[in-house]
Structures are given as structure tokens and as C-alpha cells.
Amino acid sequence: MQTTEVDMAGFAKGNSFTLVAEDPVGYRAKVSPNIVAVRTLNDGSSLTYAALDDRIARCASLLHGLFGSRGDQFRVAGLARNCVDLLVLAFACQRIRAIFVPLNWRLNAAELSAIIADCDPELVVYEPEFEPVAKGLAEHAPRVMLFPFGGGPDGLDARLAAAGPTVRLKGDADLPAILLYTSGTTGTPKGVILTRRNLFYSAVNFSFVGEVTPGSVTFCDLPFFHTIGLVAIARTTLMMGGTLVISDRFMPDRTIACLNDETLGVTHYFAVPQMASILRDQPGYAPDRMRRLKAIFIGGAPLPPPLVAAYLADGVALVNGYGMSEAGTVMHMPLDADAIATRHGSIGFPAPLIELKICDQDGREVDAGEIGEIWLKGPSVTPGYWNKPDQTQAAFTNGWFRSGDMAKRDEDGFHILADRLKDMFISGGENVYPAEIEGVIAGHPAVAEVAVIGVPDSRWGEVGVAFVVLRPGESVSEETLKALCAQTLAAYKRPAHIVYSDAIPRNAAGKPQKHVLRDHWSKNPATAEA
């Protein structure tokens, strides 16, 4: 797409452009210092852009004083539910050429330890709720320093109060700024590298498709360890000069109260389909009090058409999109009621600064109506994975990032996700990779073979079903296998169902035929047998 090339070369090719090479809060602190930048829903606190900028500057000074002697690109990890200071850490790291690593607090200690071993941070700042986990991580990283968010003599508040603001170091737009960890199909955690340039253009893309402006009030209770929370929502809002309302967790009654608060005037809310369904069933749901709401933005899974229609009947737009850690916002439905009502299942058009094509297995673009893999190019696309050159090389073909997701487009240019090239499924808005679960179950001595699929679930969107073949003469209970998974896997990854089978259907190449397993499950989910 020619527009992208012009923007990249003419708009921000050099490193001197402040918003690309650095963070946007400093600019907003100059031009709109007294506008409220962030509000925290659970304690009612707020910070103006001037106050937020000062806190970031003090944090940058603190981090540079602690670790600056080690050079650029040292890593700082944050382990906490959504809070202002996770964003403060992220922006402070960018100002001094360090790298911020938001940790998924839903993972267990074993999973987090693998991430810590890979990114090797100098510091982990943790929420007191997660102190035992943080101290356990330190056992696997002897050089790491730990201290908590919040108060106390060793807490972040006291350290920032003692620190003076620092001058920003000249940035390089193409240095890593954030690592977002996402599990691969092998179950090995991968750190997606996001540079300053990636972050800037990801925010620009969402500002276009989400119509985020200086008057926007965005509300986020999706976690900041995902790209939608940390980049699409938080970074876009602060870049555009809006107000970001932060919730530390999804609590339906509190979320409804916030959306109904006409003095706050939320314009953008973000959810997964299960959250949207729960909210509409709340006793306090009052769409007539959400008159400033442009839309509820949905990610993580397809939207059920009846839910879209029900919200539209209430005058609330429920819009779906498609994005990924490696590229940010990729596609999105327009905020148009007619398009939303008539394009069920669509994820809309590519974002303006994304080049996208749908390709067959040989890399040739397919025609409208044909299914192919989504290939991407553009300034928001990651340069690769941390410490994984082979996987980085495998992810790109002739400069195009291969998403691993299948889609088709219609004659009008609307896109629909058709299938996943990989076997990933999405449970409660979280990506789940069957190979990781299979590896755990296969470790039991009674198990000969295992294959895991995702199946529809009314509560979580999808859950896992593990088809297990036992060794001759061996036995193991469903409870034992689930307990084994609980030792090493986060709750959302653990299979909801165990099905014992005589064999796993395989093709001539020996690969499991998971479509056969899905067919068996759909016909008789209670006792599906392969």
C-alpha cells in the first residue's frame, strides 16, 4: 500500500521525531498539562498530564540511577493488576532506552519463571498481592532486584519521592521498548519485541479505527499485559490527549456503574464477548445513560450475532476487530450501525498503516471469497522475537509477517476470520495453545498419546478437550490428569474435559486429524470417542 511507504519514509523515518522515538506524555504535559490523563476506578484517584509526566520523569531517574551503568536495553518487569504505575514504568523505560516487560499475573510460578529466564530482568516491581510469586521468581534470577509498588520505605512511592526528574536520553525509534510474552505452538514463551516505532504506529492505527480524540474517555479493565490494554487502549488514549479510566479487574457491577456515570462520560469501552454478554444481563444495565459511548470494542473471539443485534437494539454499537501482539491493531469494523448489523462475523478493514494480503500456502494472493493466511507488513509490525532468531526468521517471508491465521475477504473488502492455521483456541479472551497442554499430559507415565482441541463453551467462548490414549494395562483418572495440569498450567489453559479414546486419528504424515476429533465432539460432547 503506497500510503504506508510515504508515511514511513516522509513522516518518521528519522529518529529525531519526538513522538516516535520517545513517549507522547511529555508532549501532552506541555500542551494540555491540566487535563486529567488517568483516573483509577478502584480508589478514585487521578493524575493530570503534568503530574503523570513528573511521575514518569522521576521513575526514569530512579531506574537510570539504579541500572544505567549497565548500558541501554536493561529490562524492568512489572507484576501487577492494572494500575497507573505499570504505565509509569513502561514510559519511564522508554525515556532511558530500557525495556519494559509486563508479566501476566494469571500465569503460575513455573510459567513466569520461564519468562524471567528468557528476558533476564534487572528489576521486578510487584504488587503486594503477588509478593510470594515475585520472591519465588528471584530464586531463578539471582541478580534481579525486587521492590513493591505502593507505600512503605522500600516501595515505589518512597523511591519516586526521593528521585529527581531526569532529562530524556536521545532515543532510537527502532530499539526494543517493550517485550510482550505470548506462548508459541510449542508451549515455549516468546517475547514479542515492540520498538518505539511499532508502539507509535500501533497507537496511530487504533486512533483511526477507534476514532480516539482529545475528548475521548476510554475505560480499560482488560489487562495491561496484553497488547489491547497496554498499547491499543492506554497508549492511544495518552497519545491523543484523552482520559484513561483504569480498572484493576473486571467487576460487572462496578463496570456498569462506570459506564452509567454521565459525569464521567465514557466514550470507549473494551471487552471480550463473554464480558459483553455478562454486562447486558446486569440489573444496572442502562444504555440510555451511555449516550457518549461510541462503541464497545471487542477482541479475542468472534461475536455471536444475537449479542450484536441485542446491543444495537439498545443503541450501543458492539464492534469486533483483529489484532495480535506482533502487529497491534490489524483490522477493525467501522463504527457504523448499518455495517455492524449486516456484516455478522466480519472483522472489517485493515488499519490505515497496515499492508495486508491473504495468501495461499505458496505465498500467492487469493481472490475474494477464498480462504488464505493473513500476511502483514507495516511500521507497527514487530521486528521479531527476543532471543529467538530461528523463530523470527520463520515468521517472515520476503519482509511479510505471516500471522498463522486464516481469513477471507468479500467483494466489498470486509474480512472474516475463517480458521486458525495453528491449533490455538481462545478461552475467556486468552490464547491457548494445545501443544503446551499436550506436553504436560503426555508426561504422565500412563499416557501413550494425547491431542487437545478447543470446543465452544457458553461461559468462556472456548475450552479445551483432551483426547487421551492410555498405555496397555495402564489407568489414570480424569482428576489426576487435571491435577497434573494444575501444577504447571494457568487455570484458563487447563482442559475442561478429558476423553479417553482407543486411538488418535492421524493422517498419512502421522499428524493428528483434529477436525475428526472436533466432529466427534460436536456429535456427542458428553462421551465423544475417537
Side-chain angles (χ1 to χ4, degrees):
M1 188 169 66
Q2 184 63 34
T3 303
T4 303
E5 295 301 323
V6 170
D7 285 340
M8 289 178 67
F11 185 49
K13 191 63 176 178
N15 294 333
S16 60
F17 186 54
T18 302
L19 287 179
V20 179
E22 301 181 19
D23 73 78
V25 176
Y27 171 76
R28 288 296 171 186
K30 293 177 182 177
V31 301
S32 50
N34 298 318
I35 297 296
V36 174
V38 289
R39 296 186 187 276
T40 304
L41 194 61
N42 48 303
D43 66 9
S45 63
S46 64
L47 289 175
T48 64
Y49 275 98
L52 179 61
D53 180 65
D54 178 72
R55 194 164 180 85
I56 292 168
R58 290 177 182 276
C59 189
S61 177
L62 168 66
L63 297 177
H64 193 257
L66 289 172
F67 308 111
S69 62
R70 302 184 188 181
D72 296 342
Q73 300 289 274
F74 62 84
R75 273 78 65 202
V76 175
L79 179 62
R81 296 178 188 271
N82 288 3
C83 62
V84 172
D85 280 338
L86 276 176
L87 302 179
V88 169
L89 278 179
F91 288 124
C93 285
Q94 184 164 329
R95 290 188 181 185
I96 58 171
R97 299 194 293 258
I99 301 173
F100 177 59
V101 187
L103 298 176
N104 182 344
W105 49 263
R106 296 181 64 178
L107 299 178
N108 62 30
E111 293 164 315
L112 286 172
S113 294
I115 291 172
I116 291 296
D118 188 61
C119 68
D120 189 24
E122 276 78 1
L123 171 67
V124 175
V125 187
Y126 61 88
E127 191 174 29
E129 176 185 355
F130 304 113
E131 181 174 7
V133 176
K135 290 185 175 179
L137 295 176
E139 295 177 3
H140 301 277
R143 75 166 187 161
V144 73
M145 180 178 180
L146 299 175
F147 59 74
F149 287 106
D154 295 324
L156 183 63
D157 287 348
R159 293 173 183 270
L160 294 186
T166 188
V167 176
R168 296 175 183 83
L169 300 180
K170 184 177 180 181
D172 182 335
D174 296 309
L175 283 176
I178 287 176
L179 299 181
L180 288 182
Y181 273 85
T182 176
S183 295
T185 54
T186 63
T188 303
K190 294 187 296 185
V192 178
I193 297 170
L194 297 179
T195 68
R196 291 145 177 78
R197 193 183 304 279
N198 295 154
L199 293 166
F200 175 77
Y201 281 103
S202 290
V204 170
N205 272 331
F206 191 77
S207 72
F208 273 101
V209 302
E211 300 180 12
V212 181
T213 68
S216 295
V217 179
T218 65
F219 175 24
C220 180
D221 49 19
L222 293 177
F224 285 161
F225 55 72
H226 278 326
T227 182
I228 187 169
L230 185 62
V231 183
I233 304 172
R235 195 171 190 96
T236 303
T237 303
L238 297 175
M239 184 181 77
M240 299 305 295
T243 298
L244 173 68
V245 180
I246 301 171
S247 173
D248 64 344
R249 69 198 74 192
F250 175 62
M251 297 173 60
D253 55 345
R254 190 171 69 181
T255 293
I256 283 292
C258 182
L259 293 174
N260 287 347
D261 187 343
E262 295 178 270
T263 60
L264 184 57
V266 171
T267 59
H268 298 67
Y269 177 64
F270 306 83
V272 297
Q274 294 75 30
M275 293 164 63
S277 180
I278 290 169
L279 288 175
R280 198 171 180 279
D281 292 336
Q282 291 298 301
Y285 175 67
D288 57 308
R289 297 177 62 185
M290 305 175 188
R291 285 173 291 186
R292 288 202 71 212
L293 190 65
K294 281 183 174 288
I296 296 177
F297 297 81
I298 301 295
L303 275 170
L307 186 63
V308 176
Y311 266 104
L312 278 178
D314 297 335
V316 178
L318 203 63
V319 294
N320 211 350
Y322 165 76
M324 57 198 316
S325 299
E326 291 90 342
T329 299
V330 174
M331 286 185 276
H332 216 284
M333 281 293 291
L335 307 187
D336 176 82
D338 290 337
I340 295 166
T342 58
R343 304 282 181 171
H344 290 309
S346 176
I347 51 174
F349 303 112
L353 301 180
I354 281 279
E355 291 186 73
L356 181 149
K357 60 182 180 179
I358 308 297
C359 296
D360 63 17
Q361 61 183 0
D362 297 318
R364 292 187 291 264
E365 287 193 66
V366 301
D367 294 329
E370 295 182 10
I371 294 174
E373 184 185 4
I374 299 171
W375 289 27
L376 304 170
K377 185 187 289 186
S380 67
V381 177
T382 178
Y385 302 105
W386 185 258
N387 288 336
K388 290 182 170 51
D390 292 343
Q391 292 188 38
T392 296
Q393 184 176 2
F396 289 87
T397 299
N398 298 326
W400 289 86
F401 178 79
R402 302 184 61 167
S403 72
D405 290 320
M406 309 296 281
K408 62 182 178 180
R409 70 182 185 283
D410 64 21
E411 294 291 346
D412 297 322
F414 285 84
H415 290 75
I416 299 172
L417 283 178
D419 199 354
R420 299 182 181 97
L421 185 61
K422 304 164 187 175
D423 292 323
M424 182 194 82
F425 61 93
I426 299 174
S427 185
E430 297 282 357
N431 293 352
V432 182
Y433 294 89
E436 188 176 8
I437 307 168
E438 290 163 357
V440 173
I441 295 176
H444 193 283
V447 174
E449 295 182 87
V450 58
V452 174
I453 61 170
V455 299
D457 180 79
S458 60
R459 182 178 183 185
W460 301 112
E462 292 177 291
V463 295
V465 178
F467 289 83
V468 175
V469 178
L470 297 177
R471 297 183 185 280
E474 297 285 347
S475 65
V476 60
S477 69
E478 179 176 347
E479 290 74 20
T480 298
L481 291 179
K482 288 185 175 181
L484 178 65
C485 291
Q487 293 176 15
T488 56
L489 298 173
Y492 66 86
K493 298 179 182 180
R494 302 168 197 166
H497 310 279
I498 305 288
V499 176
Y500 293 94
S501 301
D502 292 330
I504 301 296
R506 298 180 182 274
N507 62 18
K511 296 182 179 180
Q513 294 179 308
K514 293 192 174 182
H515 65 283
V516 176
L517 298 178
R518 293 188 188 97
D519 183 60
H520 280 298
W521 179 265
S522 66
K523 291 177 180 176
N524 194 346
T527 59
E529 293 280 339

